[in-house]
Amino acid sequence: MNKHEIICTTDDDFAEVAAGILFEAFSKANNPLVSFPTGTTPQDTYKALVQKYEDCRDVWDNLRYLCLDDYAGLPETDERLFKNWLGRELLDPLGIKNRITFNSAATETQAEAQHIQSYLDQHGPVDIMILGLGSNGHLAFNEPGSDFDSATRLVDLTQSTIESNARYWGDDIRRVPRTGYTLGLGDIMKARKVFLLITGAGKADILDKTLNGEITKDIPASILQNHPNLTIIADKSALMKKEDPRYG
Ligand code: PGA
């Protein structure tokens, strides 16, 4: 197992600390290709990035945003699309114009996935990959059972992900699409730098399994144990098992 860095914040200053660390990484990189996650975890971090650093034009003009995952089969203007969610929360306020995204409305889904994979093959790897951790151990839409060398593809979402994502839409499960595009675990593992963001006691168990358990396809995030350049940024609640000596 590679040694990873764990940054433990208080439950209150997670967003502030995470924003500072990410901004420093963006500032030091040259025209970085960056993937951002959606979800509850990074929301306040994105607010902090906007509040504290929106004037840093040179950093934002220098950054290329690459979609991490997104729903398939929706009209391009649909508010549920992750690229539109990220647009509202982060990319528009920061004026990030360089965006490489899935075309959700594409009818040739395999060709659409290949289009993003080709971009990665030519212009990758991802320089700075920021990830959230699913309660079921997924990374992006790489659900349990995903191959560790998987590429960009269309996937069926698991019932647990569909149920979990309904909370963004008034708990209306009918509003959650059943398929999505995702970068594969193979390309996540090729990223030059990975930041994994985790908050809350509800994630303590899956974080512990991810970092200290068996590397298994049942918990896709467990493959990150083999990543050579991983930083975990987590609040105290998510790290409540940290006293365990296996955290090192
Ligand atoms: P969450 O989602 O931040 O809303 O918990 C994380 C994920 O499913 O990747």
Side-chain angles (χ1 to χ4, degrees):
M1 175 165 126
N2 280 289
K3 188 92 187 108
H4 43 257
E5 180 186 24
I6 299 180
I7 312 243
C8 180
T9 76
T10 67
D11 289 358
D12 293 331
D13 69 2
F14 173 84
E16 200 76 357
V17 172
I21 292 169
L22 295 179
F23 182 75
E24 197 189 337
F26 301 150
S27 319
K28 283 188 184 155
N30 179 22
N31 193 220
L33 188 59
V34 180
S35 287
F36 294 99
T38 46
T40 313
T41 310
Q43 250 164 6
D44 289 343
T45 301
Y46 294 161
K47 281 199 184 85
L49 276 172
V50 172
Q51 267 167 18
K52 287 184 78 172
Y53 306 108
E54 69 173 323
D55 294 337
C56 304
R57 278 270 46 84
D58 48 338
V59 171
W60 309 123
D61 289 343
N62 184 38
L63 188 153
R64 291 171 294 154
Y65 158 65
L66 174 71
C67 51
L68 177 61
D69 53 0
D70 216 329
Y71 293 126
L74 297 181
E76 283 290 274
T77 52
D78 195 293
E79 61 170 348
R80 290 168 290 179
L81 284 177
F82 294 168
K83 63 179 170 184
N84 295 338
W85 186 95
L86 275 169
R88 291 189 297 272
E89 301 281 326
L90 187 74
L91 307 174
D92 296 345
L94 293 177
I96 296 173
K97 296 204 175 57
N98 199 342
R99 306 179 192 185
I100 304 102
T101 61
F102 293 108
N103 173 8
S104 182
T107 46
E108 298 294 330
T109 52
Q110 223 174 335
E112 182 53 28
Q114 185 52 46
H115 165 71
I116 295 296
Q117 186 64 45
S118 300
Y119 181 90
L120 258 177
D121 294 344
Q122 280 171 39
H123 305 283
V126 172
D127 295 291
I128 301 171
M129 165 87 58
I130 308 161
L131 297 168
L133 177 64
S135 303
N136 65 356
H138 73 200
L139 293 178
F141 278 151
N142 292 285
E143 301 282 20
S146 297
D147 286 333
F148 289 144
D149 61 357
S150 53
T152 310
R153 65 203 188 284
L154 183 78
V155 294
D156 292 325
L157 306 187
T158 58
Q159 190 60 23
S160 72
T161 294
I162 293 166
E163 281 165 17
S164 168
N165 287 5
R167 73 201 134 118
Y168 308 125
W169 310 108
D171 280 329
D172 185 352
I173 210 162
R174 291 165 307 178
R175 292 209 71 204
V176 184
R178 297 321 197 232
T179 56
Y181 292 102
T182 187
L183 300 192
L185 292 173
D187 289 293
I188 288 177
M189 288 301 286
K190 282 185 207 142
R192 292 199 164 94
K193 174 77 205 170
V194 174
F195 290 102
L196 184 64
L197 310 184
I198 311 109
T199 57
K203 293 274 176 77
D205 191 45
I206 191 67
L207 178 58
D208 184 43
K209 288 190 176 124
T210 294
L211 297 181
N212 304 310
E214 184 196 345
I215 298 179
T216 162
K217 290 206 284 185
D218 294 342
I219 300 178
S222 62
I223 191 62
L224 289 177
Q225 290 181 29
N226 288 341
H227 195 282
N229 197 351
L230 167 69
T231 295
I232 294 119
I233 309 176
D235 67 9
K236 208 159 167 261
S237 294
L239 277 169
M240 64 188 169
K241 300 199 174 187
K242 192 169 182 291
E243 302 321 315
D244 188 318
R246 290 173 306 159
Y247 270 98

